[in-house]
Amino acid sequence: MEATHGPERGAYIWGRSVHNIRIERLWCDVTRGFGRKWSNFFLSLEFSAGLRPDLDAHIWLLHHLFLAAINQDAADWARTWNEHKIRFDNERTRSPRDMFFFGMIENGLRGFDSDPDASRDDDDIEDLDTYGIDWEELHNADIMAHHAEHNNDQELGPDALENPFSNVGPHQLSHVDVQEPLCPFTPEQVAGLDAHLALNLHSQSRNMNSRRSVWIDALSYCRQLYDSE
């Protein structure tokens, strides 16, 4: 972002998460909308349905069974969110989609595909220390509780803490390496698993109890597949 828009413009905000309270609010809504449902579901599989999250084969099976369903839930939630109405003082209600569309008409094209020099004509940000803070939402107890639950207490890395009076960004950005789990079966065996699950009456259901049944059935099939070799 800084390479595109230039330094010290607030394109990338580092430091305490209060500067990103708007995205924290969005994460809170995502968790409430469908994230907690899946989190509780996976925990229940671990507690009482044989899931071993330390085994790559089990993670692969979760992906194979439920990743498309999670993506569908995310797409459904995003579509609903983009169409929901937001109230403004002394203005008519508008949806995020409306604000995005009419904002481009009023202010010009924005984003990565637009002219990278166009944003340089914007007014300079006067106070980067308070940029991005939504003071009203900052005092929302639900949002702050969600943040405390899902974030480490130490919000700044050791590099940023070397000089607590410095306003220079961290020397190294956070990085989470998520490796795709390797499939433990041959393509023919995966096809056999899919054919077996197609006979399960719950295979197309979006009910979480039905999905639990699908997991138990698939796990049992995979165990038998290994035992038969």
Side-chain angles (χ1 to χ4, degrees):
M1 294 295 292
E2 289 193 343
T4 301
H5 298 286
E8 299 184 1
R9 297 187 57 82
Y12 166 67
I13 304 174
W14 63 273
R16 295 182 57 80
S17 58
V18 295
H19 291 271
N20 213 10
I21 195 66
R22 290 185 178 92
I23 194 62
E24 189 63 42
R25 168 60 188 266
L26 187 63
W27 275 121
C28 188
D29 291 335
V30 167
T31 300
R32 186 183 298 113
F34 70 95
R36 182 174 289 113
K37 173 186 72 174
W38 283 102
S39 175
N40 291 339
F41 175 68
F42 293 139
L43 286 174
S44 72
L45 296 187
E46 182 179 355
F47 291 151
S48 59
L51 171 61
R52 291 274 306 276
D54 56 318
L55 297 179
D56 286 345
H58 282 216
I59 299 301
W60 173 85
L61 186 57
L62 284 180
H63 284 208
H64 188 69
L65 295 177
F66 304 122
L67 185 57
I70 295 173
N71 287 337
Q72 183 62 55
D73 276 359
D76 291 345
W77 185 89
R79 185 163 47 252
T80 301
W81 172 264
N82 287 334
E83 297 295 345
H84 90 286
K85 299 299 182 181
I86 302 176
R87 293 183 179 181
F88 297 92
D89 293 337
N90 302 320
E91 295 183 29
R92 66 181 181 86
T93 60
R94 292 184 295 172
S95 69
R97 188 182 301 277
D98 289 339
M99 289 188 285
F100 176 78
F101 178 75
F102 290 108
M104 287 195 297
I105 294 178
E106 296 172 1
N107 303 310
L109 185 64
R110 311 286 288 185
F112 290 109
D113 295 331
S114 63
D115 181 2
D117 294 326
S119 62
R120 300 186 189 278
D121 295 332
D122 295 343
D123 294 335
D124 291 336
I125 299 172
E126 295 182 358
D127 187 1
L128 279 176
D129 290 335
T130 60
Y131 179 70
I133 300 179
D134 188 325
W135 296 103
E136 181 178 351
E137 297 293 1
L138 183 60
H139 297 287
N140 185 305
D142 291 337
I143 295 176
M144 299 313 295
H146 181 275
H147 172 266
E149 179 182 356
H150 296 281
N151 290 272
N152 192 295
D153 290 338
Q154 184 170 312
E155 295 176 322
L156 297 180
D159 290 339
L161 293 175
E162 289 179 358
N163 183 352
F165 300 100
S166 173
N167 196 34
V168 179
H171 301 301
Q172 182 177 354
L173 303 182
S174 299
H175 175 72
V176 178
D177 184 19
V178 180
Q179 297 182 356
E180 183 177 357
L182 297 177
C183 176
F185 301 122
T186 65
E188 293 76 15
Q189 290 172 322
V190 174
L193 170 63
D194 291 339
H196 172 78
L197 293 176
L199 301 176
N200 190 309
L201 297 178
H202 302 288
S203 60
Q204 300 302 317
S205 174
R206 300 186 72 169
N207 178 274
M208 301 311 284
N209 288 329
S210 297
R211 285 169 171 162
R212 175 186 173 87
S213 174
V214 171
W215 162 261
I216 294 174
D217 187 15
L219 184 62
S220 175
Y221 180 90
C222 291
R223 285 172 174 168
Q224 294 176 15
L225 191 60
Y226 259 96
D227 291 340
S228 63
E229 292 183 351

